[in-house]
Amino acid sequence: MQLSDSPGAMVDEIEIGPGTGAALGAVLAGGRGSRIGGAKATTELAGRPLIAYPLAALEAAGLESMVVAKPSSELPPLDCAVIREPELPQHPLCGIVAALRAARGRAVVVVACDMPLVNPGLLAHLAAASDPLLAPALDGRLQPLQARYGPELGPRLEAALERKEPLRRTVESLCPRLLGSEELSRFGDPERILLNLNNCEDLRRAETLIAARSIASPRPSRQR
């Protein structure tokens, strides 16, 4: 399939099946990653590609997953569907729209590829919801890149993409149900769960948090 010039069009490297109606997980990997020194998806974090973390969380949440990226996006080897959104525009709505189109009438739980500490319980909670749009809000600030988008939102999101409207403004206009700090705290520290990595300092902070988590939760020793 050839890429279309229209925003949100995509090409499937691997087809998404019609499924059972359950929500799909979508890791958005179309960002440039210029402030972190290279492609975010392949940036190494504690010995693993950054994109491996949200994919593992989606798997732990029991969700079928796909990755949405630009044709030029560098990706590590992946064992899931890969959806190629158009090279332009460079806009997070482009990936969300492409994911909804590929989902064929199913809701999508999106996670940015630079959010390595996402909690599987929260992802499962988002997937199980019936709200057209369910998103975390931390200290009053909407977090639209770890959220549930229902298929009925597709036309309005596509229209917003055509206008190149900012993502948060679009999401706010759709009257989402918000998950505040108290509800998010059921799944862990909200600031950790919603941490996104934009630069090398953020990367070092995430490495420290992952190391601390590994120390706090050592693997059980094998019985001889």
Side-chain angles (χ1 to χ4, degrees):
M1 184 188 304
Q2 295 296 316
L3 282 173
S4 167
D5 291 332
S6 63
M10 75 286 180
V11 60
D12 296 354
E13 287 191 353
I14 305 174
E15 291 285 339
I16 295 285
T20 61
L24 287 164
V27 179
L28 305 182
R32 292 192 181 97
S34 55
R35 287 186 290 169
I36 211 167
K40 282 190 175 182
T42 56
T43 295
E44 187 172 301
L45 173 62
R48 300 167 64 192
L50 189 53
I51 198 172
Y53 292 89
L55 282 171
L58 287 167
E59 182 179 5
L63 300 184
E64 181 185 355
S65 301
M66 57 180 153
V67 168
V68 185
K70 301 289 187 186
S72 63
S73 297
E74 184 181 348
L75 299 173
L78 297 169
D79 187 22
C80 66
V82 178
I83 307 301
R84 295 291 183 175
E85 62 182 87
E87 201 65 51
L88 294 174
Q90 188 72 37
H91 195 298
L93 269 172
C94 197
I96 296 170
V97 167
L100 283 171
R101 287 186 178 181
R104 301 179 182 179
R106 298 160 71 178
V108 173
V109 175
V110 305
V111 185
C113 77
D114 62 358
M115 303 184 90
L117 302 179
V118 58
N119 180 275
L122 174 56
L123 297 179
H125 180 71
L126 292 171
S130 58
D131 307 85
L133 182 48
L134 179 59
L138 186 58
D139 297 328
R141 184 170 175 79
L142 188 66
Q143 305 291 325
L145 293 181
Q146 192 177 143
R148 179 196 192 275
Y149 293 84
E152 62 270 42
L153 299 177
R156 295 178 67 180
L157 293 174
E158 291 183 25
L161 180 58
E162 290 280 359
R163 300 191 299 269
K164 298 183 180 179
E165 184 175 273
L167 176 59
R168 282 193 175 86
R169 184 188 305 169
T170 298
V171 171
E172 288 169 354
S173 73
L174 294 173
C175 300
R177 182 164 79 84
L178 301 180
L179 297 175
S181 297
E182 183 176 349
E183 194 168 0
L184 288 171
S185 295
R186 293 167 45 200
F187 305 101
D189 180 352
E191 290 191 3
R192 178 182 302 213
I193 291 171
L194 300 175
L195 176 67
N196 67 301
L197 311 187
N198 291 312
N199 51 49
C200 294
E201 182 179 346
D202 292 338
L203 192 64
R204 288 190 292 271
R205 179 185 175 197
E207 288 176 342
T208 300
L209 291 170
I210 288 171
R213 184 172 61 185
S214 299
I215 293 170
S217 304
R219 294 181 180 179
S221 59
R222 294 183 179 180
Q223 296 292 330
R224 291 189 176 181

